Amino acid sequence: MSERTEPVRTVLLRRGEVHSPADPFATAMVVERGQVAWVGSEGAADAFVDGVDEVVDLDGALVTPAFTDAHVHTTATGLALTGLDLSGAPSLEDALGLVREFAAARPRDRVLLGHGWDAARWPGGRPPTRAELDAATGGRPLYLSRIDVHSAVVTTALLDLVPGRVTREDRPLTADDHHTVRAAALAAVTPLQRADAQRAALAHAASLGIGTVHECAGPEISGEDDFTGLLRLAAEEDGPRVVGYWADRDIDRARQLGAVGAAGDLFVDGALGSHTACLHQHYADADHTGIAYLDVDAVAGHVADCTEAGLQAGFHAIGDAAVTTVVEGVRAAAEKLGLARIRAARHRVEHAEMLTPDTVAAFAELGLTASVQPAFDALWGGEDGMYAQRLGAERARTLNPFAALLRAGVPLTFGSDSPVTPLDPWGTVRAAAFHRTPEHRVSVRAAFTAHTRGGWRAVGRDDAGVLVPGAPADYAVWRTGDLVVQAPDDRVARWSTDPRSGTPGLPDLGPGSELPVCLRTVVGGRTVFVRPGE
């Protein structure tokens, strides 16, 4: 790893469009000592030319704050980028064919790793059997996580690495069985492979205009060496910032590892696709209500301990019963420590897909940040999607109520949960603005804010994620079409290009429109990505 040695340069960007509330018509910006120093008009930019190290001619490009992806599994993302990705497999037969090809191409790998299968989208709707996977790999150890990463299918050879600790039933593994085989599979990844995967993931994030990722790690997800190695790599090499969360009830250990919170994927339940999200009522396609990993007392104790230690607490909660458990636990902690202290700590809830009006109101009351993934709705929503299969159409229509959260004043931050869904910030903004359930849609401006400034606020920073003097110089430069402003009244027009609005414009993200292309990403004044040929 190379230490950072080059000084941060003073730069003037001009002849573009700068998305800034400081000046809705700004075309230029000065960056100095890693911060935004000035934002303004083209005419005023002339005064800065002689005092900067570099002048960047934007040639009409758009400059925005860099995105924050508030929920990422960095190593798993890198392994998916460089390994076996089954997310595009249209059928079981195609998936098995990809496994065969991958195994043949990796004769030296101790364990074969893959991700992204989704039997709910395949004809017949069934996952591969162990015998099929054994045949496809020639009897080698294989771990294939489902798209939601809450279950996996494996080969007999991988089970043999954990003898007697995992069921031998021929079905996708969930809960403790899944955690055991995942640990065995990841233990086979060498430190060099891990670092290469982390670099690949961070480089890919930078190429998409992402300046910060929130790493959601934990003892049941990755491992301490993985977590500390990622934080060290991010500190020593230019790239996106990494904010680390360690999902452990041992808050002293979380602090020792360098985490900002004992939070992230501290599981209260599992996921809907794997039938492990915890529900108040039975699944529509299974005779049970999922799995509960933590109860109200455990949540309350963890929140109280984190609050007193000055750390963020946070939980993975998807099903309505799991969300209720979190709310009741946080409320119990507030009764012990006082509501003001709980609110000031900005505790988080990851995913929070199945909300009711009561739990939305409780999030607002308790100051909980909703860390959500709009791409989940794009992928699994709709009348015929996975949500409807698992819950029935009526319950499915209530999921991911982003508009209700914003109306209630709940702090909102967006992420991908990559590799569950890909790193794709503009696609995420579009998914929120064009939610499959119209009543849950939010404006493009609100969605963009949740994916930029919202990510900083989620870690306690209110002075960042926006291009104003004094803010960190984390920004991205984009090639895009005309900029538009969403009209406040949909009866008039969904989009308005009227410059008299005084609101900085954003790209038109309507369905079918081309998404902006990232030309450059800058973090703390340092360029971490330049598109080849630019």
Side-chain angles (χ1 to χ4, degrees), residues 228-510:
T228 57
L230 173 63
L231 295 183
R232 186 169 55 252
L233 184 149
E236 294 175 350
E237 301 184 10
D238 285 342
R241 302 174 191 267
V242 176
V243 177
Y245 286 94
W246 183 252
D248 196 340
R249 294 169 67 186
D250 182 348
I251 63 174
D252 291 333
R253 191 60 185 148
R255 191 193 296 278
Q256 290 166 6
L257 293 174
V260 301
D265 275 332
L266 186 52
F267 297 121
V268 179
D269 70 343
L272 290 165
S274 293
H275 292 100
T276 53
C278 190
L279 314 180
H280 283 304
Q281 299 177 352
H282 283 184
Y283 283 88
D285 60 350
D287 190 24
H288 62 82
T289 58
I291 299 175
Y293 295 116
L294 297 178
D295 60 18
V296 171
D297 288 343
V299 170
H302 186 67
V303 171
D305 290 346
C306 286
T307 303
E308 292 187 314
L311 285 175
Q312 278 183 296
F315 304 92
H316 163 118
I318 286 179
D320 49 4
V323 173
T324 297
T325 295
V326 171
V327 165
E328 291 180 355
V330 177
R331 185 171 282 130
E335 290 172 357
K336 176 182 177 182
L337 300 179
L339 180 60
R341 290 185 68 187
I342 296 298
R343 289 178 58 87
R346 303 193 189 191
H347 301 307
R348 296 171 54 140
V349 183
E350 308 299 319
H351 315 308
E353 293 182 64
M354 292 185 71
L355 292 160
T356 66
D358 286 344
T359 50
V360 168
F363 271 46
E365 172 198 356
L366 299 167
L368 295 173
T369 294
S371 173
V372 298
Q373 294 73 41
F376 286 5
D377 173 73
L379 182 60
W380 296 318
E383 296 296 309
D384 301 318
M386 183 272 289
Y387 289 153
Q389 293 175 31
R390 295 291 183 267
L391 303 172
E394 184 176 352
R395 273 195 294 177
R397 280 191 289 270
T398 68
L399 266 61
N400 302 302
F402 305 140
L405 287 164
L406 284 178
R407 283 195 301 269
V410 175
L412 207 60
T413 184
F414 285 173
S416 62
D417 198 9
S418 180
V420 175
T421 62
L423 299 170
D424 180 15
W426 285 114
T428 295
V429 172
R430 176 154 65 186
F434 295 93
H435 197 295
R436 288 176 177 270
T437 304
E439 67 198 63
H440 300 326
R441 292 175 179 172
V442 299
S443 70
V444 168
R445 183 183 179 192
F448 178 79
T449 299
H451 215 354
T452 50
R453 196 169 194 179
W456 285 90
R457 286 173 166 165
V459 296
R461 290 281 300 273
D462 294 328
D463 61 338
V466 61
L467 299 181
V468 297
D474 288 26
Y475 62 89
V477 180
W478 307 92
R479 181 171 64 239
T480 187
D482 292 339
L483 304 184
V484 293
V485 177
Q486 191 168 2
D489 189 341
D490 282 354
R491 290 174 300 179
V492 176
R494 185 162 187 83
W495 298 96
S496 170
T497 55
D498 187 347
R500 294 171 298 178
S501 67
T503 301
L506 285 167
D508 183 349
L509 301 181

Side-chain angles (χ1 to χ4, degrees), residues 18-161:
V18 179
H19 184 89
S20 171
D23 182 348
F25 309 111
T27 61
M29 180 172 76
V30 173
V31 172
E32 185 176 19
R33 293 191 294 273
Q35 295 183 320
V36 177
W38 172 84
V39 175
S41 66
E42 185 60 33
D46 291 334
F48 295 95
V49 171
D50 293 335
V52 300
D53 299 315
E54 181 183 5
V55 177
V56 175
D57 185 345
L58 294 169
D59 191 24
L62 170 67
V63 182
T64 71
F67 286 99
T68 291
D69 192 310
H71 194 119
V72 174
H73 304 287
T74 306
T75 303
T77 296
L79 291 172
L81 289 169
T82 60
L84 176 56
D85 180 3
L86 295 177
S87 60
S91 68
L92 172 60
E93 291 72 23
D94 287 287
L96 290 171
L98 291 170
V99 170
R100 280 191 293 272
E101 293 173 7
F102 186 74
R106 301 284 187 115
R108 300 181 189 276
D109 286 8
R110 288 184 288 177
V111 173
L112 300 167
L113 301 173
H115 168 73
W117 62 271
D118 186 2
R121 303 170 66 188
W122 292 343
R126 75 166 179 87
T129 66
R130 193 163 299 146
E132 289 170 333
L133 295 176
D134 287 346
T137 60
R140 296 168 62 190
L142 168 73
Y143 168 85
L144 289 181
S145 54
R146 190 187 180 279
I147 191 169
D148 61 10
V149 201
H150 283 267
S151 60
V153 289
V154 302
T155 55
T156 302
L158 184 58
L159 291 181
D160 290 342
L161 297 179

